[in-house]
């Protein structure tokens, strides 16, 4: 049998798409062990899409945190404009933006998620001390909408070409937002010293550069605990492989949070608490064992399902391309 040869332009476009996907994977591998471990439990398409989401978010964060300077605002504006153009056209000369745009078009991620994200990144250039209102707005844009982007990936990972985009129901949306918020607040705690000392930012309302009091730290931990409880309540609504990946990432952040809670407030400010790689692998193994046991108990029942999703044709399907 003679193999079918693709037209040159089609083959070249596929190569460009694969190269963009590899660029996003490299960004994730370079910046996050915990998130990277969780993605390994996803199927190939969902993993590529999550890598694409992570890479764009990370690059934007690097503009405001690492680059900084007088031109950071212009650079962020250009990245946002590139992203908007690519989401409309399906193409960008920026490999990370290109990979994200293809993911967004296929999974139904749109301006409702992307615009608040860039607004929060822009706030990092001007807002140094947050009150409760700006804090909640920042957490929504920097983290909760990222949870919603990931949710769109999870629900549409196995969507066939031409099938309408799947949208989550309200309880699943609440869980995704809570998960993003919890992870962000844990990161705020871990990075207290760097955020206040190096970047001059105070995210937690009422917490000064000297760090949280015992009472403030207890309140922050309670808030994070409530977010995590909402996220866990929505876990059963996710597709099977997504549920395993999120459970694993949750377990890793639980470990980090426990270490932070056991650290005196003055050391939380002075030391960046980390979970060692061997401990991460042990947590991952325990989580996988638990997920396997749950799967064995439910085998023959409902199956993997689609989670808490509804099907909605929003006219933005690009043919189900990976």
């Amino acid at each position: 049998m003679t193999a079918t040869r693709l037209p040159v332009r089609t083959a070249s476009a596929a190569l460009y798409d694969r190269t963009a996907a590899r660029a996003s994977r490299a960004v994730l591998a370079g910046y996050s062990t915990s998130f990277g471990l969780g993605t390994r439990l996803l199927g190939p398409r969902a993993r590529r899409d999550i890598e694409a989401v992570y890479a764009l978010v990370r690059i934007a964060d690097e503009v405001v945190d690492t680059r900084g300077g007088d031109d950071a605002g212009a650079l962020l504006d250009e990245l946002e404009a590139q992203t908007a153009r690519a989401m409309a056209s399906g193409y960008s000369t920026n490999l990370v933006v290109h990979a994200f745009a293809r993911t967004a078009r296929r999974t139904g991620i749109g301006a409702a998620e992307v615009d608040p994200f860039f607004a929060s990144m822009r706030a990092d250039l001007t807002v140094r001390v947050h009150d409760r209102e700006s804090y909640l707005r920042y957490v929504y844009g920097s983290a909760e909408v990222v949870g919603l982007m990931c949710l769109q990936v999870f629900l549409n990972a196995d969507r066939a070409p031409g099938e309408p985009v799947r949208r989550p129901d309200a309880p699943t949306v609440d869980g995704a937002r809570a998960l993003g918020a919890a992870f962000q607040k844990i990161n705020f705690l871990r990075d207290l010293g760097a955020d206040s000392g190096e970047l001059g930012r105070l995210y937690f309302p009422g917490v000064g550069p000297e760090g949280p009091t015992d009472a403030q730290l207890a309140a922050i931990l309670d808030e994070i605990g409530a977010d995590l409880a909402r996220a866990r309540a929505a876990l059963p609504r996710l597709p099977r492989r997504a549920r395993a990946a999120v459970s694993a990432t949750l377990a890793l952040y639980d470990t980090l949070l426990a270490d932070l809670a056991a650290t005196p407030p003055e050391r939380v400010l002075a030391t960046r608490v980390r979970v060692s790689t061997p401990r991460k692998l042990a947590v991952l193994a325990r989580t996988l064992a638990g997920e396997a046991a749950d799967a064995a108990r439910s085998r023959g029942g409902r199956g993997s399902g689609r989670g808490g999703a509804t099907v909605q044709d929003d006219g933005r399907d690009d043919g189900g391309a990976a």
Side-chain angles (χ1 to χ4, degrees):
M1 179 181 293
T2 303
T4 302
R5 187 180 298 274
L6 291 174
V8 173
R9 288 196 178 190
T10 303
S12 297
L15 175 60
Y16 189 78
D17 293 341
R18 292 195 299 271
T19 303
R22 285 196 294 271
S24 295
R25 185 175 305 124
V27 173
L28 175 55
Y31 281 95
S32 178
T33 304
S34 297
F35 207 74
L37 285 172
T39 63
R40 296 187 184 189
L41 303 181
L42 297 169
R45 173 173 279 176
R47 184 177 179 183
R48 285 195 300 271
D49 286 341
I50 292 295
E51 289 166 347
V53 169
Y54 180 92
L56 179 71
V57 168
R58 170 52 60 183
I59 294 301
D61 198 56
E62 288 301 300
V63 171
V64 298
D65 282 359
T66 302
R67 172 68 180 183
D70 294 338
D71 63 346
L75 291 172
L76 190 66
D77 288 346
E78 176 55 26
L79 181 61
E80 183 175 16
Q82 288 177 12
T83 302
R85 289 194 300 267
M87 288 171 64
S89 69
Y91 180 84
S92 177
T93 56
N94 180 323
L95 288 173
V96 167
V97 171
H98 181 82
F100 175 82
R102 284 179 55 77
T103 289
R105 286 163 62 89
R106 192 180 66 78
T107 63
I109 295 169
E113 295 80 34
V114 173
D115 290 355
F117 169 73
F118 277 103
S120 282
M121 294 300 97
R122 194 167 287 105
D124 272 335
L125 298 174
T126 57
V127 180
R128 292 292 177 257
V129 180
H130 284 273
D131 58 24
R132 186 67 183 176
E133 181 181 353
S134 68
Y135 166 75
L136 293 175
R137 185 167 58 249
Y138 181 87
V139 170
Y140 175 75
S142 67
E144 293 182 31
V145 297
V146 178
L148 295 176
M149 292 181 201
C150 293
L151 180 57
Q152 283 301 124
V153 167
F154 296 152
L155 296 182
N156 291 281
D158 62 348
R159 185 170 62 86
E163 181 184 345
V165 170
R166 300 169 189 161
R167 297 289 181 186
D169 58 18
T172 315
V173 166
D174 183 69
R177 288 183 56 180
L179 184 69
F183 286 176
Q184 180 68 294
K185 293 168 189 176
I186 292 170
N187 287 335
F188 285 163
L189 264 184
R190 183 183 57 181
D191 297 334
L192 268 175
D195 285 339
S196 62
E198 297 174 18
L199 300 174
R201 299 181 196 143
L202 299 173
Y203 288 108
F204 290 118
V207 176
E210 70 281 359
T213 64
D214 289 342
Q216 286 174 326
L217 181 58
I220 291 168
L221 292 172
D222 285 346
E223 184 177 305
I224 295 171
D227 289 333
L228 290 173
R230 287 166 52 207
R232 286 196 180 86
L235 271 178
R237 309 182 71 82
L238 295 177
R240 180 179 58 83
R241 295 193 71 161
R243 185 168 63 247
V246 173
S247 294
T249 309
L250 255 174
L252 293 171
Y253 270 84
D254 272 339
T255 304
L256 175 58
L257 182 61
D259 288 353
L260 286 165
T263 304
E266 64 274 11
R267 283 188 55 78
V268 169
L269 184 66
T271 305
R272 192 174 193 268
V273 176
R274 298 177 183 272
V275 179
S276 68
T277 298
R279 287 182 67 202
K280 287 179 180 178
L281 293 175
V283 169
L284 186 63
R286 288 197 299 271
T287 304
L288 288 176
E291 286 293 318
D294 288 344
R297 283 193 293 269
S298 63
R299 190 172 292 126
R302 293 188 303 273
S304 61
R306 292 184 178 177
T310 57
V311 176
Q312 175 179 325
D313 188 352
D314 59 7
R316 289 170 43 197
D317 180 20
D318 70 346

